[in-house]
Amino acid sequence: MDWGALHTILGGVNKHSTSIGKIWLTVLFIFRIMILVVAAERVWGDEQDDFVCNTLQPGCRNVCYDHFFPISHIRLWALQMIFVSTPALLVAMHVAYRRHEKKRQFRKGDQKCEFKDIEEIRKQRFRIEGSLWWTYTSSIFFRLIFEAVFMYAFYFMYDGFRMPRLMKCNAWPCPNTVDCFVSRPTEKTVFTIFMIAVSSICILLNVAELCYLLTKFFLRRSKKAGNSKQQPNHEDKEETKQNEMNELISDSCQNTVIGFSS
Amino acid sequence: MNWAGLYTVLSGVNRHSTAIGRIWLSVIFIFRIMVLVVAAESVWGDEKSAFTCNTQQPGCNSVCYDHFFPISHIRLWALQLILVTTPALLVAMHVAYQQHQEKKLLVLTGHADPKHMEEVKKHKMRIAGSLWWTYVCSVVFRLLFEAVFMYIFYLLYPGYQMMRLVKCEAYPCPNTVDCFISRPTEKTIFTVFMLVTSSICIILNMAELVYLVVRACARRSQHHSNPSSGKSSFYGHKHSSEYKQNEINQLLTEQDGSLKDMLRRNSGLQEKGDRCSAC
């Protein structure tokens, strides 16, 4: 189970995202996860082995490293990316649930079901409206929160985003204040700034997507209010269909073996 | 066979799980297995090489490491995750058995075309009857394994916090020696994270158990208050996976019997034919 598997899982969600959502997913996988895997992990690979302190006192190096790096940048970024990408699974679950209901409706031979084939249901792309809109908006909101929390945690733990070359340490068992040298500080600073910049771009994309969804919602609502008295309301059709489906489901018998119901 | 292989095996089970079961599986794979593979393994990667004792005595380092870490956290978590995910295979086996029975029935009743066979493979089994018991057993086993491993963890590493310094006096260390653990804070963070996700999984399992029991009781009370409901046709009988199973078994034994007769007759004819051809 690695980043490739996460990509497979989330790739399915892509179909039901907005265009901004698709761009966000691409930025996440190419500019963050891929950079982490192919470049950043190597830069931080020798972070403890090459963390050198000016002392022969056994244990001083371990203790100083632990004091200055409570959790490595790489692990923080890995956790950040896992948390930031998982709200999309809420949307995937909701879509799977809707698809399941439509298949159930189709199998009962409902006349109102507009699909000719189970395959069509499987391939159908759901519009982001109704309860799916709320799920989608919540998922974006959670993404934003997780991004912000991790950026703050980063800033809080490492006092800014620059990696110093030298750190002075006097934790026990170091005999006195000891100079400790970090390996590849400039390269680490470059990658830290890069990851922070891409993180900010992702936050902007999420905010833009949230605004887009809200705007669409209000426009649709005002159109509905304007059209409501004039003609049968097609916007309500989705909710009416949903209600009918819910009724059918609550009245229905349990599944019979397929192929024998007729 | 690695975690990806396990993922392939278990995602098949996903289809026949409840909604809570699917959430549980996602939590296991994304927040536990994935975090273990991409993050935790590299934190514990140098646990032995960077374990330093304040002595030059050969062997003291190894002995002290072995004394304080009888089994590494990473290996414990890997074992836990494997044992916790495998009861789901009981359900997979039961479902495969039921599908096999249905296919056999289709063959016997003359509906053995590829379309119907595919339908049997694709249709989602209801968690009722004997499958309900199998499913509940698998959830109970999952809970048991989680609890046992949490307890073992607590026994081996009381407090869950990784110390920076441990004092060791095992032979051949000359006296009480200070030993320093690598990355203790990071290890503590990941230990707490894995414990929290383990607790979440335990809660999800309990919720699933309660949901299954409540559903079974509701179905049972519905059946008692409305015994004539449901289609009465053989194949559509609602509350009767056991009834269906009995009928299937009966048909199969009858057919097996008649098949055996047929085969015996055929082999008899064949022998006669051979004998004739040999004449």
Side-chain angles (χ1 to χ4, degrees):
Chain A
M1 186 72 192
D2 57 1
W3 296 115
L6 189 70
H7 185 241
T8 316
I9 294 172
L10 291 177
V13 181
N14 215 4
K15 240 175 76 187
H16 307 280
S17 302
T18 60
S19 330
I20 305 177
K22 290 178 192 175
I23 295 171
W24 171 84
L25 207 70
T26 311
V27 168
L28 183 79
F29 274 102
I30 297 181
F31 292 101
R32 293 173 82 180
I33 295 180
M34 195 166 163
I35 296 284
L36 185 80
V37 169
V38 310
E41 279 184 353
R42 302 232 172 122
V43 175
W44 270 266
D46 57 2
E47 54 178 332
Q48 190 172 307
D49 294 335
D50 280 357
F51 181 78
V52 169
C53 289
N54 188 3
T55 179
L56 286 177
Q57 171 65 43
C60 177
R61 193 176 68 105
N62 282 12
V63 162
C64 291
Y65 177 83
D66 185 62
H67 181 256
F68 289 111
F69 300 105
I71 176 168
S72 169
H73 293 55
I74 294 283
R75 258 74 68 182
L76 249 188
W77 285 326
L79 282 175
Q80 181 180 10
M81 278 181 268
I82 290 172
F83 274 91
V84 152
S85 41
T86 35
L89 294 178
L90 288 174
V91 176
M93 287 194 254
H94 193 138
V95 162
Y97 170 72
R98 271 212 185 164
R99 220 176 246 154
H100 174 73
E101 294 301 314
K102 292 236 152 136
K103 278 186 190 169
R104 228 172 163 166
Q105 198 191 18
F106 175 78
R107 285 201 184 114
K108 287 192 192 327
D110 187 353
Q111 302 303 323
K112 293 193 185 78
C113 185
E114 66 267 27
F115 299 105
K116 296 190 184 51
D117 196 351
I118 285 260
E119 278 308 308
E120 234 182 275
I121 297 178
R122 211 169 272 157
K123 290 187 189 145
Q124 186 217 11
R125 189 193 154 195
F126 289 96
R127 288 187 60 208
I128 303 174
E129 51 192 15
S131 53
L132 186 58
W133 184 91
W134 286 102
T135 310
Y136 197 88
T137 312
S138 313
S139 79
I140 297 178
F141 189 67
F142 278 120
R143 272 188 229 163
L144 270 169
I145 290 184
F146 288 139
E147 291 269 23
V149 163
F150 275 94
M151 294 262 277
Y152 178 70
F154 217 96
Y155 186 79
F156 179 74
M157 264 192 252
Y158 297 109
D159 260 338
F161 301 124
R162 215 182 126 256
M163 184 71 77
R165 271 186 189 173
L166 161 73
M167 292 168 161
K168 291 188 182 290
C169 172
N170 57 6
W172 188 89
C174 303
N176 45 39
T177 305
V178 143
D179 291 337
C180 294
F181 300 90
V182 177
S183 107
R184 311 180 208 243
T186 313
E187 202 169 1
K188 286 178 179 171
T189 307
V190 166
F191 274 97
T192 305
I193 293 175
F194 180 88
M195 295 296 263
I196 298 290
V198 180
S199 205
S200 315
I201 291 172
C202 285
I203 289 179
L204 285 170
L205 283 170
N206 284 329
V207 168
E209 199 176 2
L210 209 53
C211 292
Y212 168 74
L213 285 169
L214 285 168
T215 313
K216 218 165 84 159
F217 175 75
F218 285 121
L219 276 175
R220 206 183 296 137
R221 199 168 235 201
S222 60
K223 216 163 76 169
K224 219 199 282 188
N227 285 348
S228 59
K229 286 173 190 152
Q230 293 174 20
Q231 54 192 316
N233 202 338
H234 298 293
E235 304 289 340
D236 276 339
K237 209 175 174 189
E238 182 74 32
E239 278 92 17
T240 322
K241 247 195 278 184
Q242 190 68 45
N243 287 341
E244 292 215 26
M245 250 162 51
N246 291 343
E247 267 178 45
L248 264 174
I249 289 156
S250 54
D251 291 344
S252 71
C253 300
Q254 290 134 8
N255 282 338
T256 58
V257 174
I258 303 300
F260 291 96
S261 50
S262 53
Chain B
M1 185 71 188
N2 52 14
W3 293 115
L6 187 70
Y7 179 64
T8 317
V9 168
L10 290 176
S11 32
V13 181
N14 214 4
R15 261 182 63 218
H16 307 282
S17 302
T18 61
I20 304 177
R22 289 177 199 177
I23 295 172
W24 171 84
L25 208 70
S26 306
V27 168
I28 284 265
F29 274 104
I30 295 178
F31 292 100
R32 291 174 79 179
I33 295 181
M34 196 165 166
V35 168
L36 185 81
V37 169
V38 311
E41 277 185 353
S42 44
V43 176
W44 268 266
D46 59 358
E47 53 177 332
K48 180 137 198 286
S49 53
F51 181 80
T52 322
C53 290
N54 188 2
T55 178
Q56 299 261 6
Q57 170 66 44
C60 179
N61 225 341
S62 299
V63 162
C64 290
Y65 176 80
D66 186 63
H67 180 257
F68 287 105
F69 300 103
I71 175 167
S72 168
H73 291 55
I74 293 284
R75 258 71 71 185
L76 252 186
W77 285 326
L79 280 174
Q80 182 181 12
L81 287 164
I82 291 171
L83 282 172
V84 153
T85 45
T86 36
L89 295 177
L90 288 174
V91 176
M93 286 193 261
H94 194 136
V95 164
Y97 171 74
Q98 276 189 347
Q99 282 175 341
H100 176 72
Q101 296 291 89
E102 279 181 16
K103 280 186 182 164
K104 239 174 158 168
L105 184 67
L106 284 177
V107 165
L108 289 171
T109 54
H111 286 87
D113 52 293
K115 184 172 164 236
H116 284 133
M117 292 298 203
E118 272 305 302
E119 297 263 13
V120 166
K121 215 186 273 178
K122 284 186 192 158
H123 109 266
K124 185 189 161 187
M125 296 280 169
R126 283 191 57 234
I127 303 175
S130 52
L131 185 59
W132 185 91
W133 286 102
T134 310
Y135 198 90
V136 164
C137 285
S138 78
V139 174
V140 166
F141 276 121
R142 273 188 229 162
L143 266 170
L144 248 158
F145 289 138
E146 291 270 22
V148 163
F149 273 92
M150 295 263 277
Y151 180 67
I152 290 175
F153 221 96
Y154 180 74
L155 269 181
L156 286 174
Y157 303 112
Y160 304 127
Q161 198 199 0
M162 188 70 80
M163 306 305 293
R164 266 186 190 178
L165 160 75
V166 287
K167 291 185 184 291
C168 172
E169 49 189 18
Y171 174 82
C173 303
N175 46 39
T176 306
V177 143
D178 291 334
C179 294
F180 299 91
I181 292 170
S182 108
R183 310 181 208 248
T185 312
E186 203 166 0
K187 286 177 179 172
T188 306
I189 292 174
F190 275 97
T191 306
V192 169
F193 181 87
M194 295 296 265
L195 279 169
V196 166
T197 46
S198 204
S199 316
I200 291 173
C201 287
I202 288 178
I203 293 172
L204 283 170
N205 282 330
M206 288 195 222
E208 198 176 6
L209 210 53
V210 166
Y211 168 73
L212 286 167
V213 167
V214 163
R215 210 167 83 165
C217 293
R219 206 184 294 140
R220 193 165 251 203
S221 61
Q222 202 185 48
H223 180 61
H224 282 142
S225 62
N226 207 358
S228 61
S229 69
K231 296 183 186 163
S232 56
S233 68
F234 167 68
Y235 303 117
H237 204 297
K238 256 197 294 184
H239 302 290
S240 66
S241 6
E242 290 93 1
Y243 178 75
K244 227 197 295 183
Q245 194 64 48
N246 288 342
E247 292 274 353
I248 292 171
N249 291 343
Q250 222 176 0
L251 258 177
L252 287 169
T253 42
E254 282 168 18
Q255 287 290 338
D256 274 349
S258 63
L259 260 171
K260 276 187 189 142
D261 286 335
M262 208 164 63
L263 282 168
R264 236 180 288 124
R265 271 185 265 123
N266 279 347
S267 65
L269 279 171
Q270 180 123 35
E271 280 173 26
K272 273 193 203 157
D274 285 345
R275 267 181 273 151
C276 282
S277 66
C279 299

